[in-house]
Structure formats: structure tokens, C-alpha cells
């Protein structure tokens, strides 16, 4: 007699994007986890993001899937039985829907399906995907985005983490301005550590040289996820552009100053919280994937960024935020 237990039903979720996209999708992923507690949940995404995906507690395993830029990857290397449910958290078009349809799921949830809800173009990324699931009867809380503390200890507990890089030039504030803020923070007595991803070594070195950083406080080339997560979790502040590290700071409840340019923080910024400042100059939206710094981003001055950082680094008593820096737009 065969006593082998049957395979658990499977949910395949597609969100094959970057770290910031993964972290912004955590509330939706946790809603799926709660709705299907007996299912095995697989997340189709780049394999390099396996550790942060598993750290959410919402995913059982990662199904490797990636494509250049933000394109939709093929899922034709799926070899298991058809998933019981496939959910498109990647985009709103037929390309991502069809990629999931190719694995022949028993049921498919997608904006581009006939029963799919309308795309909310002006909604915040977290709100949009939670509302999408809600339309299918799956409850998700947009504020359910915190990550547990990593087991690894930080290389620089209590440091201010400054991350000058970004995936596109449009979201990359000039390095010399980051260096000016670094000098200001160091002059105020704060320990500053610079980070950068693969390919950003030259940028980080330039900021370090201009900012007077010691070699030991320059962590370029991309830290392993557990080390990066620990660094952010134990930091006193994270300063960055609109990139994955800003989302990681929010996930760990670490105070942050984030510089926005082509895209409003109302669409991708942190939730309302006195520990997080989003600096932005209002104007028409730009191209978030452009090669040169966005005009709105360039209107943010070094002085107001330094003031915002120092504001958050001062003790906050009674839960109230001190007066913010003059001329900074906080959303």
C-alpha cells in the first residue's frame, strides 16, 4: 500500500523584477500566503533575489525567471504539473499573463484576464497590488511589509549608510552632491559607510574620495544579501535614491531619507511615518529608466538633504518628528 502523501497544491506567482519591486510586493505576497496556507507558493523571479524572497516568510521557493530590463521572462522551463493557481504580480499586459498561461494553470489571476480588475495607474505600488488581490477576494494589507531581523551581525552597527547608486541614470543623484552630504555628516560626528552594487565601484570610490571616507568604510561591488540586510537593519539612517536599498530600510524600520526624481513618492515612496523622509520636487513625471539624472532630482540641493538627514539623526521624543528641513518636499 502506497502511503506517499500527495503533493500539496501549488501557487505560482510572477514578479520577476528587482529588489525594490520584490519588497514593495511583500504585502501582496503575504496576502496570498494567508489565503492559501496549505499551498506551496513559488515565486517566479531572478534567482539572485532568493534570500530576500524567502526572508519574507510568504514564499516557499523561488522558480528562476529573469529577462533583461523589466521585460517579461519566459516560464517554458517549468517541468512540474500545472500549478493550481497562477497570479500575475508582474504587470498589467498580455505578455505577463501569457507567460503564466503557458504553464497551463488551473486558474489564472491577472489584470489582462477577462475577469481582471482595472489597472490603477495612479495608485501606490503596494496599494495597487493589494487592491488587485482584493478584487479576487484575497485580503492583503499594504502596510504588512516589515522583514525580520537578519541573523548576521552588521559590519558597522549604528552607521549612516549612504548608497549613491541606482539602476538607471534618471534616479542617480550626482555623486559630488552625495559627497557633500557625507562631509557634512562626518563633520557632525556621524560614522558613514558607503555601499554600492555590482558595476558601481567607480561611483562609490569617487564619492568616498570627495567625502573623505576611509577605505574600510567603503563597501562597493555588492554585499551578499544577509550582510546588506544586517547593515541596513542596524544602521542609524539610510540615505539613497529611489532604489532597492530605500525599500530595505523601510522593511527593517530604519530611518531613511530617499531622493525622488522622475517618479513621485506617492507611487513608490515609503508609507507615512516620521522615520522616513521622501524628498521630491513636484513636476510632470519623467522616465524612470532614462540615462541622465531627472530634472526634478537635480533640483534637490545638498544642503536640504544634509538637513533632512540630521533631522532624523536627532532623537525624536514622544513619537513626534522635529521640524523638517526648509524647502524639502516630504510626502
Amino acid at each position: 500500500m502506497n502511503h506517499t502523501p500527495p503533493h500539496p497544491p501549488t501557487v505560482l506567482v510572477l514578479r520577476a523584477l528587482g529588489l525594490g519591486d520584490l519588497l514593495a510586493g511583500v504585502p501582496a505576497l503575504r496576502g496570498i500566503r494567508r489565503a492559501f496556507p496549505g499551498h506551496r507558493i513559488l515565486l517566479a523571479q531572478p534567482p539572485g533575489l532568493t534570500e530576500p524572497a524567502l526572508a519574507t516568510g510568504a514564499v516557499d521557493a523561488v522558480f528562476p525567471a529573469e529577462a533583461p530590463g523589466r521585460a517579461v521572462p519566459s516560464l517554458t522551463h517549468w517541468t512540474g504539473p500545472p500549478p493550481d493557481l497562477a497570479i500575475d504580480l508582474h504587470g498589467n499586459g498580455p505578455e505577463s499573463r501569457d507567460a503564466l498561461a503557458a504553464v497551463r494553470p488551473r486558474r489564472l489571476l491577472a489584470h489582462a484576464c477577462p475577469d481582471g480588475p482595472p489597472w490603477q495607474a495612479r495608485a501606490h505600488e503596494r496599494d495597487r497590488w493589494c487592491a488587485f488581490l482584493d478584487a479576487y477576494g484575497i485580503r492583503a494589507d499594504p502596510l504588512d511589509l516589515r522583514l525580520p531581523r537578519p541573523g548576521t551581525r552588521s559590519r558597522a552597527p549604528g552607521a549612516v549608510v549612504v548608497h549613491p547608486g541606482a539602476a538607471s541614470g534618471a534616479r542617480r543623484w550626482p555623486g559630488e552632491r552625495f559627497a557633500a552630504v557625507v562631509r557634512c555628516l562626518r563633520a557632525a560626528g556621524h560614522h558613514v559607510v558607503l555601499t554600492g552594487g555590482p558595476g558601481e565601484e567607480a561611483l562609490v570610490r569617487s564619492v568616498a574620495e570627495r567625502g573623505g571616507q576611509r577605505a574600510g568604510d567603503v563597501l562597493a561591488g555588492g554585499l551578499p544579501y544577509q550582510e546588506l540586510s544586517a547593515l541596513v537593519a542596524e544602521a542609524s539612517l539610510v540615505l539613497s535614491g529611489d532604489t532597492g536599498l530605500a525599500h530595505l530600510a523601510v522593511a527593517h524600520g530604519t530611518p531613511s531619507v530617499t531622493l525622488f526624481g522622475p517618479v513621485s513618492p506617492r507611487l513608490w515612496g515609503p508609507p507615512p511615518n516620521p522615520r522616513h523622509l521622501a524628498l521630491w520636487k513636484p513636476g510632470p513625471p519623467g522616465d524612470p529608466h532614462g540615462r541622465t539624472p531627472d530634472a526634478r532630482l537635480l533640483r534637490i540641493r545638498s544642503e536640504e538633504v544634509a538637513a533632512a538627514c540630521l533631522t532624523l539623526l536627532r532623537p525624536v521624543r514622544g513619537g513626534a518628528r522635529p521640524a523638517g528641513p526648509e524647502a524639502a518636499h516630504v510626502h
Side-chain angles (χ1 to χ4, degrees):
M1 184 175 181
N2 186 0
H3 294 285
T4 303
H7 291 290
T10 300
V11 177
L12 177 62
V13 182
L14 175 62
R15 191 169 177 82
L17 300 163
L19 176 62
D21 304 275
L22 168 63
L23 296 177
V26 165
L29 291 171
R30 286 185 173 152
I32 295 169
R33 172 81 284 168
R34 287 190 295 270
F36 301 97
H39 287 57
R40 186 166 187 256
I41 298 179
L42 301 180
L43 179 60
Q45 64 155 33
L49 295 176
T50 297
E51 285 190 276
L54 297 179
T56 67
V59 175
D60 294 306
V62 165
F63 178 66
E66 56 187 329
R70 299 176 70 82
V72 178
S74 169
L75 304 179
T76 55
H77 53 297
W78 178 272
T79 58
D84 296 84
L85 176 65
I87 302 177
D88 181 5
L89 298 184
H90 188 95
N92 67 330
E95 296 85 1
S96 50
R97 176 203 62 195
D98 292 347
L100 283 168
V103 304
R104 299 177 290 112
R106 291 184 174 84
R107 187 184 181 200
L108 173 58
L109 311 184
H111 276 290
C113 284
D115 64 345
W119 177 258
Q120 299 183 17
R122 295 181 179 274
H124 192 285
E125 184 74 359
R126 293 185 299 271
D127 297 332
R128 175 191 294 126
W129 291 112
C130 289
F132 163 76
L133 293 175
D134 187 70
Y136 285 108
I138 300 172
R139 300 291 179 260
D141 178 2
L143 297 180
D144 184 12
L145 43 74
R146 292 290 295 272
L147 293 181
R149 290 270 173 163
T152 305
R153 294 306 306 271
S154 170
R155 290 192 187 187
V160 176
V161 175
V162 176
H163 186 83
S168 67
R171 292 182 281 127
R172 199 173 298 134
W173 200 50
E176 61 270 20
R177 301 192 193 182
F178 272 110
V181 177
V182 168
R183 290 195 299 271
C184 178
L185 294 175
R186 293 181 68 247
H190 297 285
H191 179 198
V192 178
V193 170
L194 291 174
T195 62
E200 296 177 342
E201 292 86 352
L203 170 63
V204 175
R205 282 197 302 268
S206 174
V207 174
E209 291 169 1
R210 295 176 183 224
Q213 284 291 98
R214 299 177 301 175
D217 291 329
V218 179
L219 306 175
L223 289 174
Y225 172 74
Q226 285 295 326
E227 291 188 34
L228 181 65
S229 182
L231 184 72
V232 169
E234 296 185 40
S236 58
L237 176 78
V238 170
L239 166 62
S240 73
D242 174 19
T243 189
L245 210 69
H247 292 273
L248 191 57
V250 171
H252 283 310
T254 300
S256 65
V257 173
T258 308
L259 314 181
F260 284 83
V263 177
S264 166
R266 290 194 176 98
L267 300 179
W268 279 93
N273 189 301
R275 298 169 67 85
H276 304 296
L277 293 179
L279 272 57
W280 181 63
K281 304 296 183 180
D287 178 7
H289 310 297
R291 295 184 177 181
T292 58
D294 183 80
R296 282 153 294 277
L297 185 63
L298 292 177
R299 286 168 54 197
I300 301 175
R301 297 177 291 110
S302 301
E303 295 84 355
E304 59 187 298
V305 175
C309 292
L310 292 173
T311 293
L312 289 184
L313 288 166
R314 289 198 295 267
V316 179
R317 297 178 180 175
R321 183 176 67 203
E326 184 179 355
H329 294 272
V330 180
H331 298 271

